[in-house]
Amino acid sequence: MFSSHHGSHSNELALEYFDFAYPLIFHRHWPSIRLALLSLPKPIALINPHSLSNKNTQEKLLQQGAVDMLRFDNEKLREDYALIQENISKSDHEFGIKRLLEQKENRRLLGTSDLVNEQQEEIDDGDDDDEDDDVNTFNQPEPVKRLDEIYKQALEQQVQSVIKGNIVPIVDDDKERDYKKMPPSWNVYTFPRSNMSRFASAKIDELGLLDYYCMDGACVLPVIALDVQPYHTVLDLCSAPGGKALNIFHNCPFIQLTCNDSDHSRSKRLTEVFTRTIPKDTLAKSVRLVRGDGCLFGEREPASFDRVLVDVPCTSDRHALATAFNVFSRKRIQERVELPTYQRKLLESAIRACKPGGIVVYSTCTLAPVQNEGVVEQAIENLALRPSNKRYHGGHKGSDPINCEIVSTKSLEKHYAYFFDFHAKTHYGSLVLPHISNNFGPLYFCKIRRIN
């Protein structure tokens, strides 16, 4: 519960808020997630294929004990870790049943055993999904009276968000996809699990280009899900600072890539990243850097892109704990409360900008369901509504209905389970949970196909 005297810095407010909200979702796993969030993140090194020192850099990283994440083929380690995860899942189920039995006994001692009939039925059915049902509704206890008004507003917003979990069709088109086949231009290095080594600062070659670019390891997953092919037109709607856009371009350089961001300083950072990693002639020929309101992109360039990545602004949970001024500042409470609405508008715009049959990948770096699955569900439901003379749910007047389906990313989770800890209780998409042994994330991503 929140303390009666809140911390004065935004990072303290963020931790206080997480300690209240996230145990309701992640239960006994929250302490380990919390520890990882408060620890140094584990980076990856995205090799620059345009650097003259490309091959030498890869050889040095291999000598230091790093592995190519995209081509890791140690099946023994994969199998061992899969067994560990299976045992953890079994333990979670047993813990859930034990907790329900303890609640039943406590209520029996208090003379309220008639209130546990529903729980008894859940135990008899052996349904282990009930432990984390609140991941979908994000229900929270009533705020205590001593809480500041700003926290009451934030909690009310979370309470009102209900994820139905059954209104969007899900297809498993990627179950036969071979994730071992990666283009030679895309190489991502990291250190094995439980190895906390750090990469040295990137060096500049004779052309003035960086030999690699470091970022959070989970950044590669939305790009893998995007499944970009040669000659695709690709949009990165909220592109700055540019890590995912670089992954897209290194993954498939034979594309036309448009990178957009609405913020001037972030757009400047995006330009710097590209000019320090890609030759000027290649950049001019294949990459378009623009600055504009992402919410309006779908109107201005409708049905124009084969692939769209929309990595939306969010509460940025790890960043919020590391900076003294962030979205959890008392001065930015309204901005935080309105984040899911803004995220939904960005996703709707991304889907509108996507060609029929094309793919949109939505991603965030928060654990909050209201910003993840909640946004995906509301956006898809909103776009499917029939057009009317009035604006609906913040949509566009007179818009034709757009139908979408979600492409399951479970096969992707299975292939990369050695490197990432995925949350097992998501209805739509995948959620990477930070873990101290491989401290990536948090990152949520969901693969969406526009049908019409």
Side-chain angles (χ1 to χ4, degrees), residues 395-426:
H396 301 281
K397 182 178 179 180
S399 297
D400 292 329
I402 297 175
N403 295 318
C404 300
E405 62 187 6
I406 289 176
V407 181
S408 173
T409 46
K410 294 301 179 184
S411 61
L412 187 154
E413 289 185 20
K414 183 178 180 181
H415 184 78
Y416 290 101
Y418 172 75
F419 292 104
F420 303 100
D421 289 72
F422 293 98
H423 187 43
K425 302 292 183 179
T426 54

Side-chain angles (χ1 to χ4, degrees), residues 162 164 167 295 340-349 352 374-399:
V162 177
K164 301 170 187 175
I167 66 170
C295 296
T341 300
Y342 180 50
Q343 293 162 336
R344 175 182 57 77
K345 290 179 179 178
L346 285 169
L347 177 53
E348 290 178 10
S349 177
R352 284 193 170 90
V375 169
V376 170
E377 187 174 77
Q378 290 175 19
I380 293 178
E381 187 177 26
N382 198 35
L383 289 172
L385 293 176
R386 293 181 179 274
S388 65
N389 292 327
K390 298 180 179 179
R391 293 180 183 270
Y392 52 90
H393 292 211
H396 301 281
K397 182 178 179 180
S399 297

